[in-house]
Amino acid sequence: MNKFTILGIDPGTTATGYAFLSTDTSEKNVLIPIEYGVIKVNPRLALQQRVSEIYNRIKDLIQKFKPDEASIETIFHAKNIKSILSMGDARGVIMLALAQENIPVFEYSPREIKKAVVGNGNASKKQVQYMVKAILNLKEVPSSYDVTDALAIAICHFNKREKDL
């Protein structure tokens, strides 16, 4: 029995979604949610305090769940340049935490993630939520899009990984 743990991350400077999914490499297409949630950071804090808190919380989660690989959403086009830059700040400290633990990181665009989970790169957030719930046999839809997105990112990586094996 070969357990393999994937970490999915939806980065943000006020809310970072995370999801740890486990798979048994001897059994194809079986994904088990281990832990998922959102790191909420006070938006009134200075940026350096917010990214420091994200870094520390991600480090703690990595040390607790010891993922074999991580997947993270790429920066995408947005109307607000400030939100792109702050997402980059969050991604940077998350990537640092992963690099310090020698965890390989795989990046996926929002379109790739939606296509892998829903089958349509233009799927809505609600469609992604529905499919994440169905794929993982969750009793209820996670309470936030940040969590659903992190789960979807981990599922996307699992699917990509299975194709490449």
Side-chain angles (χ1 to χ4, degrees), residues 22 25 34 43 53 58 84 87 99 124 127 132 139 141 144:
S22 178
T25 56
I34 301 171
E53 189 169 330
I58 285 289
I84 291 174
M87 183 180 181
S124 70
Q127 289 171 310
V132 163
K139 290 182 178 153
V141 172
S144 113

Side-chain angles (χ1 to χ4, degrees), residues 111-140:
R111 182 178 285 278
E112 283 178 285
I113 296 161
K114 290 174 184 178
K115 188 162 178 59
V117 175
V118 179
N120 174 359
N122 293 317
S124 70
K125 292 252 187 207
K126 285 276 186 211
Q127 289 171 310
V128 172
Q129 272 189 325
Y130 175 82
M131 287 306 297
V132 163
K133 179 181 182 273
I135 290 166
L136 298 175
N137 293 317
L138 301 176
K139 290 182 178 153
E140 53 191 52

Side-chain angles (χ1 to χ4, degrees), residues 2 16 20 25 33 38 40-41 47 50 60 62 68 76 78 97 100 106 116 123 130 132 134 145 149-150 160 162-163:
N2 297 326
T16 292
F20 291 88
T25 56
V38 65
K40 291 189 179 189
V41 182
L47 178 61
R50 284 184 281 152
D60 291 345
I62 289 168
D68 297 289
F76 55 93
Q100 288 175 334
F106 300 83
Y130 175 82
V132 163
Y145 286 132
D149 289 351
K160 184 84 167 155
E162 288 296 297
K163 284 182 188 171

Side-chain angles (χ1 to χ4, degrees), residues 5-165:
T5 302
I6 297 169
L7 167 59
I9 302 173
D10 180 34
T13 53
T14 56
T16 292
Y18 65 88
F20 291 88
L21 301 181
S22 178
T23 184
D24 182 342
T25 56
S26 63
E27 292 182 44
K28 295 272 185 201
N29 300 322
V30 177
L31 272 177
I32 301 157
I34 301 171
E35 172 81 15
Y36 51 87
V38 65
I39 298 168
K40 291 189 179 189
V41 182
N42 185 340
R44 293 189 204 124
L45 292 175
L47 178 61
Q48 68 269 25
Q49 291 171 304
R50 284 184 281 152
V51 295
S52 177
E53 189 169 330
I54 292 166
Y55 170 81
N56 290 327
R57 304 254 314 268
I58 285 289
K59 278 289 267 195
D60 291 345
L61 288 166
I62 289 168
Q63 289 169 0
K64 181 176 181 181
F65 295 104
K66 301 189 182 338
D68 297 289
E69 293 179 351
S71 50
I72 189 167
E73 188 176 68
T74 60
I75 294 179
F76 55 93
H77 286 294
K79 292 175 186 167
N80 183 344
I81 191 77
K82 191 173 179 180
S83 65
I84 291 174
L85 292 172
S86 68
M87 183 180 181
D89 293 330
R91 278 175 44 90
V93 297
I94 292 165
M95 297 284 239
L96 174 61
L98 293 164
Q100 288 175 334
E101 298 296 324
N102 296 311
I103 298 167
V105 179
F106 300 83
E107 300 178 72
Y108 301 99
S109 71
R111 182 178 285 278
E112 283 178 285
I113 296 161
K114 290 174 184 178
K115 188 162 178 59
V117 175
V118 179
N120 174 359
N122 293 317
S124 70
K125 292 252 187 207
K126 285 276 186 211
Q127 289 171 310
V128 172
Q129 272 189 325
Y130 175 82
M131 287 306 297
V132 163
K133 179 181 182 273
I135 290 166
L136 298 175
N137 293 317
L138 301 176
K139 290 182 178 153
E140 53 191 52
V141 172
S143 60
S144 113
Y145 286 132
D146 299 305
V147 175
T148 306
D149 289 351
L151 287 162
I153 293 162
I155 293 167
C156 174
H157 180 61
F158 173 77
N159 289 343
K160 184 84 167 155
R161 199 173 181 285
E162 288 296 297
K163 284 182 188 171
D164 294 344
L165 290 179

